[in-house]
Amino acid sequence: AQGPTPGWRTDRGRVYIVHGPADEIEMFPNAAANEFPYERWLYRGALRKSFTFRGPLLETTISLAERPI
């Protein structure tokens, strides 16, 4: 039986390992009826990127969308 995925093997874990802690985290637990809850990690400074993580449970990353701020 497989247990939960270790944090370092998730999309969020990999982003944290590569880029460090986000400058800001926006959480949207009550997304629209047709969307999963999501959170957005914002990186300012030289990186200037945001990473959006969404899934039925935020512990389970379904997709990662990357776009400039």
Side-chain angles (χ1 to χ4, degrees):
Q2 277 186 305
T5 302
W8 62 271
R9 297 194 72 185
T10 66
D11 286 341
R12 286 189 299 178
R14 286 189 295 268
V15 168
Y16 186 89
I17 289 168
V18 172
H19 300 294
D23 295 312
E24 183 179 346
I25 297 176
E26 301 174 335
M27 300 187 81
F28 302 90
N30 301 317
N34 62 342
E35 291 185 345
F36 287 122
Y38 66 98
E39 64 184 47
R40 184 175 300 126
W41 291 14
L42 304 169
Y43 289 88
R44 304 205 190 309
L47 186 59
R48 296 200 46 80
K49 284 192 178 234
S50 70
F51 297 90
T52 301
F53 305 93
R54 60 174 44 91
L57 300 172
L58 286 176
E59 295 82 25
T60 306
T61 301
I62 297 302
S63 64
L64 168 64
E66 187 178 323
R67 63 177 176 74
I69 295 177

